[in-house]
Amino acid sequence: MGTSVYLFSGGQLRRKDNTLVFESPDGTKYLPVENIQEIYLFGEVDLTKSLLEFCSQKEILLHIFNSEYEYYMGTFYPREHLNAGHVTVKQVEYYLDPQRRLDLARRFVEGAARNMLQVLKYYRNRGKKVEGHLERIQELEGKIPETAEVPALMALEGNIREQYYRAFDAIVLQEDFQFDRRTRRPPENHLNTLISFGNSLLYSAVLRETYKTHLDPRIGYLHTSNYRRFSLNLDVAEIFKPILVDRLIFTVLGKKMITRRDFDAKLEGIYLKESGRKVFVSEWERRLGTTIRHRSIGREVSYRRLIRLELYKVEKHVVEGEEYRPFVAQW
């Protein structure tokens, strides 16, 4: 499986013969392309047309982040080589059928809600006072089957996630990392900065795995497929946010791997310094490589592989009619 390369500083990324070269104030770095699957660009990086052509030829994704606040800006997505016309047609049919689209969107929200509950139950069993939030989320989860339109379902999912985020203070128990309320682009406090940064990494990871399937990432069901370049990765990411992003945040804060010193404040909001980004990314890669016992296939799989398997399930649902059941963590 291809590796991920993270470039935190500014510079120029260019092609040189059959390899990539990154030139920055820190020096020159050669990037052999044989095993690279994706490159994350966090700094002000200059790109050339020949570089993009080379990345497309080698099927390397380029994920671009805002250089100030690290939120996800977009991805250079090479020409799809596995997209299948009949799969795209089936995806569109599902999207254009209001009932089938709603059914699949509900399943994404149900998977997300159940994984949020699993995370809170995990910490409740370790003495964290999250019972009230658990009960309110369970109450809201019961409304998913009766929600009749996708916009209303999105609003319900937002209410569920708001209750879930409000439990973070009881888990983290650090004055420097209080939730207050969800803020984005830019985030207004330290905890929101970590949530936004982690979610951005997850969106990119799901997009990477989508590229290895027959699915078209532009066609989502919970997130509307209109002016947004990609939306299916946002749908599937909802399921994995609690178990990948949020538990990672609790780990790096609980172990004091990231502290207030790893952030800077600007007039518009809070951003994560390079020191904090490097720690988070290192733990993120470790997390994606962690294996769990998959009950359905009876063997160990990494979380990165698990994302791909989830996408395969979505594909079978829309193409073959095999019922899609979202992954729910068991601890």
Side-chain angles (χ1 to χ4, degrees), residues 79 158 164 180 195 220 254 262 271 311:
R79 184 176 57 191
Y164 169 70
D180 186 29
I195 293 171
D262 293 303
Y271 76 98
L311 290 160

Side-chain angles (χ1 to χ4, degrees), residues 96-110:
L96 294 178
D97 184 324
Q99 199 53 48
R100 288 199 290 179
R101 179 190 171 190
L102 177 63
D103 174 69
L104 191 49
R106 281 175 179 157
R107 293 170 190 265
F108 290 130
V109 176
E110 286 171 353

Side-chain angles (χ1 to χ4, degrees), residues 10 12 45 50 64 73 80 90 155 212 214 273 289 302:
Q12 182 183 52
V45 179
S50 64
I64 301 167
M73 298 294 294
E80 296 90 345
K90 286 291 187 180
K212 296 299 183 181
H214 297 109
K273 294 179 183 177
S302 68

Side-chain angles (χ1 to χ4, degrees), residues 233-248:
N233 61 320
L234 305 184
D235 288 354
V236 175
E238 298 296 341
I239 297 167
F240 290 98
K241 283 178 183 177
I243 55 181
L244 291 180
V245 176
D246 302 335
R247 288 206 62 192
L248 177 55

Side-chain angles (χ1 to χ4, degrees), residues 119-278:
V119 169
L120 294 188
K121 289 175 182 176
Y122 175 88
Y123 286 100
R124 178 194 62 184
N125 294 340
R126 283 152 182 78
K128 304 295 185 179
K129 298 179 181 179
V130 297
E131 190 63 41
H133 301 288
L134 262 170
E135 292 173 356
R136 284 189 284 276
I137 291 174
Q138 288 170 330
E139 183 180 321
L140 290 168
E141 182 194 16
K143 297 180 180 180
I144 295 174
E146 60 194 53
T147 305
E149 295 180 343
V150 172
L153 187 63
M154 283 285 288
L156 178 60
E157 190 273 340
N159 291 335
I160 292 172
R161 201 167 290 278
E162 185 72 16
Q163 283 297 327
Y164 169 70
Y165 282 142
R166 291 193 178 281
F168 278 28
D169 288 351
I171 297 171
V172 175
L173 294 175
Q174 293 185 38
E175 187 175 338
D176 288 337
F177 292 93
Q178 294 185 344
F179 175 69
D180 186 29
R181 61 190 177 89
R182 186 72 179 104
T183 56
R184 311 170 176 83
R185 292 181 177 257
E188 296 176 3
N189 65 33
H190 303 89
L191 187 52
N192 270 282
T193 297
L194 291 177
I195 293 171
S196 293
F197 186 62
N199 286 349
S200 294
L201 293 176
L202 178 59
Y203 298 147
S204 304
V206 179
L207 186 60
R208 161 187 162 146
E209 296 308 313
T210 307
Y211 188 71
K212 296 299 183 181
T213 73
H214 297 109
L215 291 166
D216 191 321
R218 296 169 294 184
I219 306 169
Y221 302 94
L222 177 62
H223 295 82
T224 302
S225 300
N226 47 24
Y227 305 108
R228 185 182 284 112
R229 178 69 174 89
F230 304 119
S231 53
L232 183 60
N233 61 320
L234 305 184
D235 288 354
V236 175
E238 298 296 341
I239 297 167
F240 290 98
K241 283 178 183 177
I243 55 181
L244 291 180
V245 176
D246 302 335
R247 288 206 62 192
L248 177 55
I249 289 172
F250 301 147
T251 296
V252 297
L253 294 182
K255 293 182 177 180
K256 301 291 193 296
M257 300 169 73
I258 291 179
T259 68
R260 188 185 184 95
R261 293 190 297 273
D262 293 303
F263 298 81
D264 264 343
K266 293 194 174 182
L267 289 177
E268 299 86 353
I270 306 292
Y271 76 98
L272 193 59
K273 294 179 183 177
E274 185 173 327
S275 59
R277 279 179 275 162
K278 286 183 174 179

